[in-house]
Amino acid sequence: GALARTLNSKPLEVRSKGEAGPVTNIDLAVDALLEERLLTARPDYGWLSEETPDDPARRIGKARTFMLDPIDGTGALVDKSPQWTISIGIVEGERAFAGVVYNPMTDELFLGAIGSGATLNGKPMHVSAKSEIDGARMLGQRSRFSDKRWQTPWPKLDVIERQSIAYRMALVAAGLGDAGLLFGFKHE
């Protein structure tokens, strides 16, 4: 987080990954730092990162694998909006084992692991008890809910816009939103 905040205070270097969106020098620097630190600490783990090119050295197929997006919500980062996160998970075989989502700009740290529960900044977190869509706090893009393609209008929603998919899921897990939807080729 500290590296991302420091680099964010300087001019960004942005290039396109085509349909996958932009990538910045911050994505690449955080990816390199995490790869060095995490694989030094756990050299027997596999590595799968959005910013690491495919090659056999990724070591997929290990008992545990780091899966990460060094900057989730790069568009928000480019727009200078504090809605981007660093997202890291550990998969054991094919099962999610542990994960962390960190928003360096708001200093929100969401942690969870099998058998250990989940926390936001060290305090236990729980999903909302809301069971009706009417009046729900929905994480998504406001314009998507008013799209004319819907045959019937959505009920009244409190739409909370956040660009990072991992951030949306973490906010729902912490009960700070009731649900989240993403329309497009990326899906929660």
PDB file of all heavy atoms in Angstrom, residues 41 93 121 144 179 184 186:
ATOM      1  N   ALA A  41       8.827 -15.382   0.825  1.00  0.00           N
ATOM      2  CA  ALA A  41       8.280 -15.922   2.072  1.00  0.00           C
ATOM      3  C   ALA A  41       7.692 -17.316   1.882  1.00  0.00           C
ATOM      4  O   ALA A  41       7.735 -18.132   2.807  1.00  0.00           O
ATOM      5  CB  ALA A  41       7.201 -14.976   2.619  1.00  0.00           C
ATOM      6  N   GLY A  93      -5.401 -25.954  -3.698  1.00  0.00           N
ATOM      7  CA  GLY A  93      -6.011 -26.795  -4.725  1.00  0.00           C
ATOM      8  C   GLY A  93      -6.913 -25.927  -5.568  1.00  0.00           C
ATOM      9  O   GLY A  93      -6.464 -24.979  -6.188  1.00  0.00           O
ATOM     10  N   ASN A 121     -10.247  -3.930   9.140  1.00  0.00           N
ATOM     11  CA  ASN A 121      -9.353  -3.196  10.049  1.00  0.00           C
ATOM     12  C   ASN A 121      -9.334  -3.831  11.438  1.00  0.00           C
ATOM     13  O   ASN A 121      -9.368  -3.149  12.458  1.00  0.00           O
ATOM     14  CB  ASN A 121      -9.725  -1.715  10.111  1.00  0.00           C
ATOM     15  CG  ASN A 121      -9.428  -1.009   8.803  1.00  0.00           C
ATOM     16  OD1 ASN A 121      -8.684  -1.501   7.967  1.00  0.00           O
ATOM     17  ND2 ASN A 121     -10.014   0.145   8.609  1.00  0.00           N
ATOM     18  N   ARG A 144     -26.358   1.682 -15.048  1.00  0.00           N
ATOM     19  CA  ARG A 144     -26.755   0.326 -15.449  1.00  0.00           C
ATOM     20  C   ARG A 144     -28.139  -0.055 -14.942  1.00  0.00           C
ATOM     21  O   ARG A 144     -28.808  -0.877 -15.541  1.00  0.00           O
ATOM     22  CB  ARG A 144     -25.737  -0.703 -14.969  1.00  0.00           C
ATOM     23  CG  ARG A 144     -24.350  -0.489 -15.496  1.00  0.00           C
ATOM     24  CD  ARG A 144     -24.293  -0.709 -16.986  1.00  0.00           C
ATOM     25  NE  ARG A 144     -22.918  -0.601 -17.431  1.00  0.00           N
ATOM     26  CZ  ARG A 144     -22.431  -1.263 -18.439  1.00  0.00           C
ATOM     27  NH1 ARG A 144     -23.188  -2.079 -19.123  1.00  0.00           N
ATOM     28  NH2 ARG A 144     -21.182  -1.109 -18.783  1.00  0.00           N
ATOM     29  N   ALA A 179     -25.630  -5.750  -1.682  1.00  0.00           N
ATOM     30  CA  ALA A 179     -25.369  -6.612  -2.837  1.00  0.00           C
ATOM     31  C   ALA A 179     -24.549  -5.824  -3.847  1.00  0.00           C
ATOM     32  O   ALA A 179     -24.432  -4.605  -3.744  1.00  0.00           O
ATOM     33  CB  ALA A 179     -26.679  -7.077  -3.463  1.00  0.00           C
ATOM     34  N   GLY A 184     -21.039  -6.638 -17.736  1.00  0.00           N
ATOM     35  CA  GLY A 184     -19.952  -6.585 -18.692  1.00  0.00           C
ATOM     36  C   GLY A 184     -19.213  -7.900 -18.710  1.00  0.00           C
ATOM     37  O   GLY A 184     -19.696  -8.923 -18.227  1.00  0.00           O
ATOM     38  N   LYS A 186     -16.492  -8.703 -17.131  1.00  0.00           N
ATOM     39  CA  LYS A 186     -15.958  -9.061 -15.823  1.00  0.00           C
ATOM     40  C   LYS A 186     -17.139  -9.268 -14.896  1.00  0.00           C
ATOM     41  O   LYS A 186     -18.117  -8.541 -14.974  1.00  0.00           O
ATOM     42  CB  LYS A 186     -15.067  -7.956 -15.272  1.00  0.00           C
ATOM     43  CG  LYS A 186     -13.820  -7.716 -16.088  1.00  0.00           C
ATOM     44  CD  LYS A 186     -13.002  -6.599 -15.463  1.00  0.00           C
ATOM     45  CE  LYS A 186     -11.775  -6.308 -16.278  1.00  0.00           C
ATOM     46  NZ  LYS A 186     -10.965  -5.251 -15.655  1.00  0.00           N
TER      47      LYS A 186
END
